[in-house]
């Protein structure tokens, strides 16, 4: 049975799964949970991580017969609790860049493990234009090429300049985008537009794509927006970690510099006891990585149907059986499919 709790806050985590592949066992044995302990799964505050928590909770509950609890969380408190208390047991999409040192120490000390890459091709962050705009202007493949053509992306309130859609005030990406705007020396020919909320940014992007209008915007993935709308990421050159760190540090006094956005690691992090006490569960989590495109696609359902994480997870289990059944023994798949009806 799956329990929902507002318990431990979730976080991002990283480690390397050192467990070897499972020994040859009978199908029925491989379909058992292997532990009487409750496996609490962190439901993070962003849509992809929340949906993944419900997908895995359903499979563990209905397929493996585990006692499962979904607990709310966010990056730092979840990782801290996992490192010090061994709970939550699993964080299905743990972005570890913000907790790099503490997480690396936890791996070294054997308190946590990394079971898989949650996003197999890495997270995405950068500047985008619509594919139809690039089809019309095939030379627009780099940030510099787009910056040289503000006339293609006119600001609706000041057509003498182009408009770059940034992030809402207070978001970390507002700092990085503002720094790049400065580093690219865009002020004379571009306006930097900061929407009032994430919803306002999404609405601006949706409106442009619906009308097939050009738009230059910052975004990240995996997200429903990138799953729904065919956007092209611009080439911003190499990633320079030191430059990016300064660009996103309000106290850094160095001039803003040009750099691509780094791809943040997102992993399936777990307390070490999961690997030791429930090897079949750990083996399952070692197979559950999805690509950016696959995660963005599953989020489109939630966005278009105003569905919560549980409903989004159920839709994935119903419509992507070719994907998730490859993660589990046949006996587990049969049990989950029987529950889905």
């Amino acid at each position: 049975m799956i329990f929902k709790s507002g318990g431990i806050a979730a976080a991002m985590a990283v480690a390397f799964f050192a467990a070897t592949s499972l020994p040859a066992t009978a199908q029925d044995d491989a379909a058992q949970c292997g532990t009487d302990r409750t496996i609490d799964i962190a439901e993070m505050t962003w849509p992809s991580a929340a949906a993944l928590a419900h997908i895995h909770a359903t499979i563990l509950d209905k397929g493996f017969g585990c006692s499962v609890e979904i607990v709310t969380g966010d990056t730092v408190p979840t990782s801290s609790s996992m490192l010090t208390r061994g709970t939550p047991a699993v964080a299905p999409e743990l972005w570890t860049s913000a907790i790099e040192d503490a997480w690396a120490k936890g791996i070294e000390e054997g308190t946590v493990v990394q079971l898989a890459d949650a996003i197999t091709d890495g997270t995405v962050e950068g500047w985008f234009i619509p594919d139809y705009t690039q089809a019309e202007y095939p030379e627009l493949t780099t940030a510099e090429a787009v910056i040289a053509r503000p006339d293609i992306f006119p600001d609706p309130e000041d057509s003498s300049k182009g408009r770059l859609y940034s992030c809402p005030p207070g978001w970390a990406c507002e700092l990085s985008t503002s720094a790049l705007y400065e580093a690219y020396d865009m002020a004379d020919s571009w306006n930097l537009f900061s929407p009032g909320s994430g919803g306002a940014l999404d609405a601006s992007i949706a409106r442009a794509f619906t009308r097939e209008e050009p738009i230059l915007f910052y975004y990240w993935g995996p997200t429903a927006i990138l799953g729904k709308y065919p956007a092209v990421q611009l080439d911003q050159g190499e990633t320079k970690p030191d430059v990016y760190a300064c660009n996103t540090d309000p106290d850094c006094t160095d001039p803003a510099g040009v750099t691509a956005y780094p791809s943040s690691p997102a992993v399936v992090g777990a307390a070490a006891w999961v690997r030791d006490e429930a090897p079949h569960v750990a083996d399952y989590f070692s197979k559950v990585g999805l690509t950016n495109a696959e995660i963005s696609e599953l989020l489109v359902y939630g966005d278009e149907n105003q569905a919560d994480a549980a409903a989004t997870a159920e839709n994935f289990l119903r419509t992507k059986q070719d994907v998730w059944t490859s993660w589990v023994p046949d006996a587990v798949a049969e049990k989950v499919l029987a529950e889905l009806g």
Side-chain angles (χ1 to χ4, degrees):
M1 178 177 296
I2 300 174
F3 297 93
K4 181 72 181 288
S5 167
I8 302 154
M12 296 157 58
V14 162
F16 288 97
F17 182 37
T20 58
S21 58
L22 289 173
T25 57
Q27 180 73 223
D28 287 345
D29 183 47
Q32 300 301 310
C33 186
T35 182
D36 293 331
R37 294 174 66 170
T38 295
I39 297 178
D40 43 352
I41 301 177
E43 179 182 359
M44 303 299 201
T45 55
W46 55 95
S48 56
L52 291 173
H54 284 266
I55 290 168
H56 299 317
T58 298
I59 292 173
L60 292 185
D61 173 40
K62 306 302 182 184
F64 286 93
C66 297
S67 174
V68 182
E69 183 176 7
I70 294 175
V71 297
T72 57
D74 215 332
T75 303
V76 174
T78 293
S79 57
S80 177
S81 181
M82 189 181 288
L83 286 162
T84 58
R85 302 173 56 199
T87 181
V90 180
E93 189 188 309
L94 198 58
W95 293 42
T96 55
S97 56
I99 53 167
E100 186 174 357
D101 292 342
W103 193 254
K105 182 179 180 182
I107 294 170
E108 182 180 354
E109 294 177 348
T111 57
V112 293
V113 290
Q114 174 180 313
L115 302 179
D117 289 324
I119 305 172
T120 57
D121 53 353
T123 59
V124 172
E125 191 177 5
W127 292 6
F128 294 82
I129 62 173
D131 65 344
Y132 52 79
T133 302
Q134 192 180 77
E136 184 175 358
Y137 303 96
E139 70 276 14
L140 300 184
T141 60
T142 67
E144 288 87 349
V146 169
I147 292 167
R149 294 298 308 273
D151 56 300
I152 299 175
F153 306 87
D155 187 328
E157 299 175 1
D158 178 9
S159 60
S160 68
K161 292 185 177 183
R163 174 182 281 192
L164 166 61
Y165 287 80
S166 183
C167 289
W171 290 23
C173 49
E174 183 193 24
L175 293 175
S176 59
T177 306
S178 298
L180 286 172
Y181 175 82
E182 178 182 340
Y184 283 122
D185 195 21
M186 297 172 68
D188 289 342
S189 54
W190 288 81
N191 291 323
L192 183 63
F193 180 77
S194 180
S197 66
L201 175 60
D202 290 355
S204 296
I205 296 167
R207 182 169 55 252
F209 274 87
T210 301
R211 298 174 178 176
E212 294 195 356
E213 297 173 345
I215 181 173
L216 172 62
F217 62 99
Y218 164 90
Y219 219 77
W220 69 97
T223 50
I225 285 289
L226 295 186
K228 183 184 297 187
Y229 301 113
V232 178
Q233 184 172 3
L234 299 174
D235 184 356
Q236 294 182 282
E238 66 176 303
T239 300
K240 303 172 184 175
D242 292 343
V243 173
Y244 181 80
C246 183
N247 283 357
T248 54
D249 181 359
D251 297 325
C252 182
T253 58
D254 294 342
V258 173
T259 175
Y261 293 81
S263 179
S264 299
V267 306
V268 181
W273 68 262
V274 176
R275 177 198 59 196
D276 299 335
E277 297 182 23
H280 298 317
V281 171
D283 183 63
Y284 160 74
F285 276 113
S286 74
K287 302 171 183 176
V288 302
L290 293 170
T291 66
N292 241 286
E294 287 173 326
I295 296 176
S296 293
E297 182 183 356
L298 83 86
L299 294 176
V300 170
Y301 175 84
D303 181 72
E304 292 183 340
N305 295 277
Q306 297 184 326
D308 62 12
T312 300
E314 181 178 346
N315 179 70
F316 174 85
L317 292 170
R318 290 184 181 279
T319 62
K320 297 296 180 181
Q321 295 175 12
D322 59 320
V323 176
W324 67 263
T325 56
S326 68
W327 302 340
V328 298
D330 291 344
V332 170
E334 290 168 4
K335 292 176 185 176
V336 176
L337 290 169
E339 288 289 335
L340 293 172

